[in-house]
């Protein structure tokens, strides 16, 4: 890729992740977060709340697992042991515009985990996941009270799912992936570095946690802060789907919250390729002072080998001397009876 095209792509993707996390222009109505035991989605959820607080966006947290609301949450809806209809009613009642003269505030609805709802025994056959999620994005009621809503849903990949009641019904993860306009898969930075180091050596990338398939192993190697440049942060594998159908795939790195203040306005998310631990800077002076590549054997000829090579007589030297049948390289041809002699062509 040309340097200009690469720079344009990097700038565009950085602006895109900033737009998505800051909820500008409702770029992604439904965002799906895929986390695991190795890397929970809590740091990214807190980053959503921090940016929403700076932009004065109303934040509603639908809590299936969270016991206490995070800092910056405007409405906390406890959803355990509630039916989907009760959750929709409580979320709708949690947002009330201040005045009809003031433009509607943007709204961010966070679901800390959709898995308990999918596994709930209170679901009846009339429950549809797509209808449940769309009720938050486009709530029922008068059009004047509908704010611009962005929905962020977290799905735990390590939680086993229930078997489908019908063989024609897609699994919940496939349905969520189909409905989402943005899919963000979270990875541990140390695991990504270990896998990249293995691929650079043409080895099989290691697996961690439940993928190791070892008895009693739930979590693999965790981040251990050592030294100045440590493997801290969360790797975001993002897939953004445009209205045209084209997708944008990119890898980002979200640094830990301890490295920047809560009122930070400047963009903190960087491209994974720009991190020095993932792609170390190339040494410009590495090739200076080396005329030939180093090897375990000698590539140059000795003086004796050079003399013997020069003493070898190649076959075409005999033809150039004119002593052989070729008479100095001239082509000899004996005409046969079937040949037609033409004086004009022979003169040419």
């Amino acid at each position: 890729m040309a340097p200009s095209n690469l720079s344009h792509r990097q700038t565009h993707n950085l602006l895109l992740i900033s737009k998505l996390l800051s909820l500008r222009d409702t770029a992604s109505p439904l965002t799906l977060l895929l986390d695991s035991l190795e890397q929970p989605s809590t740091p990214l959820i807190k980053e959503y709340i921090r940016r929403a607080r700076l932009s004065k966006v109303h934040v509603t947290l639908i809590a299936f697992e969270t016991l206490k609301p995070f800092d910056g949450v405007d409405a906390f809806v406890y959803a355990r042991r509630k039916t989907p209809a009760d959750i929709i009613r409580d979320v709708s009642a949690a947002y009330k515009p201040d005045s009809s003269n003031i433009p509607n505030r943007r709204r961010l609805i966070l679901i800390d985990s959709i898995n308990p709802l999918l596994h709930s025994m209170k679901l009846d056959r009339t429950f549809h996941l797509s209808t449940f999620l769309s009720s938050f994005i486009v709530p029922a009621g008068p059009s004047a009270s509908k704010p611009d809503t962005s929905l962020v849903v977290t799905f735990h990949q390590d939680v086993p799912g229930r078997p489908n009641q019908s063989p024609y019904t897609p699994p919940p993860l496939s349905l969520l992936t189909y409905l989402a306009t943005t899919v963000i898969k979270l990875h541990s930075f140390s695991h990504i570095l270990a896998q990249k180091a293995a691929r650079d050596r043409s080895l099989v990338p290691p697996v961690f946690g439940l993928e190791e398939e070892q008895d009693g192993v739930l979590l693999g190697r965790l981040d251990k802060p050592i030294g100045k440049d440590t493997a801290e942060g969360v790797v975001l594998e993002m897939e953004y789907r445009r209205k045209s159908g084209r997708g944008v795939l990119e890898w980002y790195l979200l640094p830990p919250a301890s490295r920047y203040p809560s009122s930070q306005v400047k963009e903190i998310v960087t491209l994974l390729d720009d991190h020095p631990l993932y792609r170390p800077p190339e040494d410009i002076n590495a090739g200076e002072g080396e005329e030939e590549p180093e090897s375990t054997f000698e590539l140059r000829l000795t003086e004796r080998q050079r003399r013997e090579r020069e003493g070898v007589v190649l076959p075409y030297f005999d033809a150039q001397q004119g002593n052989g049948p070729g008479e100095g390289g001239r082509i000899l041809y004996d005409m046969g009876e079937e040949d037609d002699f033409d004086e004009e062509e022979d003169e040419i």
Side-chain angles (χ1 to χ4, degrees):
M1 183 179 294
S4 59
N5 295 337
L6 179 61
S7 177
H8 176 74
R9 182 189 67 84
Q10 293 176 346
T11 304
H12 174 270
N13 291 344
L14 284 175
L15 293 175
L16 177 60
I17 191 64
S18 177
K19 183 178 181 180
L20 293 176
L21 295 182
S22 301
L23 308 174
R24 291 197 297 267
D25 303 330
T26 317
S28 178
L30 176 57
T31 302
L32 176 62
L33 307 182
L34 301 178
D35 68 347
S36 60
L37 293 175
E38 301 294 329
Q39 183 55 66
S41 61
T42 305
L44 184 56
I45 291 178
K46 291 183 178 180
E47 179 63 19
Y48 268 109
I49 298 175
R50 185 189 73 85
R51 299 192 183 214
R53 188 176 182 180
L54 294 176
S55 303
K56 298 182 179 180
V57 177
H58 187 277
V59 180
T60 301
L61 177 61
I62 303 176
F64 286 93
E65 299 177 347
T66 307
L67 300 179
K68 296 182 180 180
F70 301 118
D71 294 337
V73 174
D74 299 314
F76 184 78
V77 178
Y78 190 74
R80 277 285 185 177
R81 299 180 181 179
K82 290 184 179 180
T83 61
D86 295 337
I87 297 175
I88 295 174
R89 183 180 64 253
D90 294 344
V91 172
S92 178
Y95 177 77
K96 295 180 180 179
D98 298 335
S99 175
S100 59
N101 298 327
I102 301 177
N104 292 328
R105 294 175 58 187
R106 290 177 296 168
R107 189 181 188 188
L108 172 63
I109 300 178
L110 298 166
I111 301 180
D112 61 353
S113 176
I114 197 67
N115 299 79
L117 178 63
L118 300 176
H119 302 161
S120 176
M121 301 301 296
K122 295 185 178 181
L123 298 180
D124 52 10
R125 295 183 178 273
T126 61
F127 173 78
H128 297 284
L129 182 59
S130 58
T131 306
F132 174 75
L133 297 178
S134 62
S135 62
F136 299 119
I137 302 175
V138 186
S143 58
S145 61
K146 294 181 180 179
D148 296 333
T149 304
S150 298
L151 179 62
V152 179
V153 180
T154 301
F155 182 87
H156 300 321
Q157 301 180 94
D158 294 335
V159 177
R162 295 174 54 187
N164 294 336
Q165 298 179 356
S166 173
Y168 304 102
T169 303
L173 180 57
S174 300
L175 183 59
L176 287 171
T177 306
Y178 176 78
L179 295 175
T181 51
T182 302
V183 180
I184 300 178
K185 189 174 182 180
L186 293 89
H187 305 272
S188 174
F189 190 25
S190 62
H191 297 175
I192 295 297
L193 293 178
Q195 293 172 355
K196 181 180 183 298
R199 288 193 299 268
D200 292 343
R201 297 192 301 268
S202 299
L203 301 176
V204 178
V207 293
F208 304 94
L210 297 178
E211 295 182 358
E212 299 181 20
E213 297 182 355
Q214 296 184 8
D215 295 340
V217 176
L218 296 179
L219 296 177
R221 184 176 58 183
L222 301 178
D223 298 339
K224 296 181 180 180
I226 298 177
K228 181 179 179 181
D229 295 332
T230 57
E232 293 182 320
V234 181
V235 177
L236 309 178
E237 180 185 357
M238 185 203 69
E239 178 185 357
Y240 173 69
R241 296 157 182 177
R242 301 175 180 174
K243 295 181 180 180
S244 61
R246 297 177 56 188
V248 178
L249 302 176
E250 190 56 84
W251 292 70
Y252 301 93
L253 179 64
L254 175 65
S258 59
R259 292 192 176 183
Y260 56 90
S262 59
S263 58
Q264 176 78 18
V265 179
K266 186 178 179 181
E267 185 57 51
I268 58 174
V269 178
T270 59
L271 295 176
L272 181 61
D273 292 338
D274 295 340
H275 198 278
L277 292 180
Y278 186 81
R279 177 172 292 181
E282 298 180 358
D283 189 2
I284 302 177
N285 301 325
E288 295 183 358
E290 298 181 2
E291 298 179 357
E292 297 181 359
E294 298 181 357
S295 177
T296 57
F297 54 89
E298 184 65 37
L299 297 177
R300 293 171 294 183
L301 297 177
T302 62
E303 189 64 25
R304 178 183 176 183
Q305 292 173 342
R306 187 177 292 104
R307 290 196 305 266
E308 293 179 352
R309 184 187 65 177
E310 294 176 355
V312 176
V313 180
L314 299 178
Y316 59 85
F317 281 102
D318 294 338
Q320 294 177 356
Q321 295 177 1
N323 299 329
E327 297 183 3
R330 186 170 63 88
I331 300 176
L332 301 179
Y333 178 72
D334 296 332
M335 295 182 59
E337 298 178 356
E338 65 278 0
D339 293 333
D340 184 13
F341 180 76
D342 191 344
E343 295 181 356
E344 295 181 358
E345 292 182 358
D346 187 62
E347 291 178 358
I348 297 176

